[in-house]
Amino acid sequence: MRVFIAGATGYVGSAVVAELASAGHQVVGLARSDSSATTLSELGIEVHRGDINDLDSLRAGARNADGVVYAANQHISETTDSALRARIELAAVEAIGFELQGTGKPFVVTSGVIGRTPGRLLTENDDADISPLTALRLPVETSVLALAKRDVRSSSVALSPTVHGLGDVRGFVSMLIAIAREKGVSAYVGDGSNRWPSVHRLDAATLFRLALESAAGGTRLHAVAEQGIPFRDIADAIGPRLGLPVVSISPDEAAAHFGPLAPLVALDSPASNTLTKDRFGWEPVHPGLIADIEQGHYFTH
């Protein structure tokens, strides 16, 4: 299959590129810069110049592909304007969808599980609670999944908040480590019992491939290897590696300590992977989050 990938040089996208190429697919990567183009070329990946703001480029990439993966990261962006980022991404997936309608081709979009059903286990069939956290991001996933009604084999891969592994320098784990270094403590909010799902980036990449190859239109998959790790366990894994105390802070102190992450760090957001594993035979095989942190690679930069 000739697969066009947006976000091909990103943390998750680069793992998806490698996974698809190793499975025999012909990969075409979107590259917005010379350095990204060089990175892809050196890997033997065909380069398609453009970015997610260039809708004509996205349409052309989709038109000439047998399937599309949108793996651009919705959490981490060069813009701090989340509403602007959401509008850009919605326009991007709608442009791709326009080209794919009526073709029966697969279109896999990146989504997320955090904050969808706070305090209760999220399954693949659950609708998200509408909140400031989810409202901006949901239209992208909803738009893509709705393409199933227009003969597109559309699906979403909802990532855990902690997509961990080698090369993670801008994700949530790296952010938490940076905050601990700055503040001199590894902190959690309250008793730290709130849960965060996690997945290794290589296990997530496998799920993207399975979605591309076999997901029916309108399917939501959960890239969740561990359905809920208590946040205190994450703080406990970070503190000793930095030689710092692990402390509880109050909800009122969270904003000053965690900054932009404050709305997330106290969320209890467990998510199930049962339907994903049953439907696609997906079995995560790489280290879990705490084991990965304890390997030490997060602390070398």
Side-chain angles (χ1 to χ4, degrees):
M1 191 184 302
R2 178 180 171 87
V3 185
F4 175 52
I5 301 185
T9 58
Y11 175 62
V12 173
S14 59
V16 176
V17 166
E19 173 70 20
L20 293 179
S22 67
H25 295 288
Q26 179 186 356
V27 180
V28 181
L30 181 69
R32 66 175 179 173
S33 67
D34 291 342
S35 61
S36 293
T38 298
T39 296
L40 292 173
S41 295
E42 289 177 346
L43 294 172
I45 303 302
E46 183 177 339
V47 174
H48 181 92
R49 290 304 296 261
D51 61 40
I52 63 171
N53 293 284
D54 184 349
L55 302 186
D56 287 339
S57 176
L58 294 176
R59 293 187 188 101
R63 188 182 311 126
N64 296 316
D66 300 314
V68 177
V69 174
Y70 186 91
N73 196 310
Q74 299 191 45
H75 297 296
I76 303 166
S77 169
E78 290 182 358
T79 177
T80 57
D81 187 337
S82 57
L84 174 60
R85 176 70 175 181
R87 291 194 297 271
I88 290 170
E89 292 203 321
L90 182 59
V93 299
E94 287 180 341
I96 294 168
F98 181 83
E99 288 298 327
L100 295 181
Q101 62 184 345
T103 66
K105 294 177 180 179
F107 180 16
V108 185
V109 69
T110 304
S111 185
V113 301
I114 193 167
R116 284 181 176 250
T117 54
R120 65 185 191 276
L121 185 69
L122 173 73
T123 78
E124 293 87 336
N125 291 333
D126 290 333
D127 292 328
D129 295 350
I130 302 302
S131 69
L133 177 63
T134 61
L136 291 177
R137 293 166 46 208
L138 283 177
V140 172
E141 178 187 88
T142 300
S143 176
V144 172
L145 294 183
L147 290 169
K149 297 179 180 178
R150 290 190 274 163
D151 194 23
V152 178
R153 191 160 58 79
S154 58
S155 62
S156 71
V157 173
L159 295 170
S160 300
T162 49
V163 182
H164 58 90
L166 285 170
D168 177 12
V169 297
R170 298 176 64 195
F172 283 136
V173 174
S174 292
M175 291 180 183
L176 293 172
I177 291 170
I179 290 169
R181 282 175 167 150
E182 177 188 354
K183 301 295 184 178
V185 296
S186 179
Y188 55 90
V189 177
D191 66 3
S193 64
N194 60 295
R195 295 156 292 176
W196 272 23
S198 74
V199 67
H200 195 282
R201 69 186 286 258
L202 299 182
D203 287 320
T206 300
L207 190 57
F208 273 93
R209 176 179 58 78
L210 292 172
L212 182 82
E213 293 174 345
S214 61
T219 299
R220 184 185 297 119
L221 301 82
H222 281 181
V224 171
E226 297 169 289
Q227 75 174 23
I229 300 172
F231 196 88
R232 178 170 183 168
D233 290 356
I234 301 173
D236 282 339
I238 291 172
R241 297 293 310 199
L242 297 174
L244 297 175
V246 179
V247 302
S248 169
I249 62 174
S250 71
D252 291 339
E253 296 172 306
H257 186 90
F258 288 106
L261 290 187
L264 302 177
V265 295
L267 274 178
D268 185 40
S269 193
S272 173
N273 62 15
T274 299
L275 296 179
T276 298
K277 294 173 75 172
D278 288 349
R279 291 171 180 171
F280 300 96
W282 180 61
E283 289 294 339
V285 297
H286 294 280
L289 174 60
I290 301 305
D292 199 17
I293 292 173
E294 291 175 346
Q295 287 181 359
H297 61 85
Y298 272 103
F299 305 91
T300 60
H301 50 78

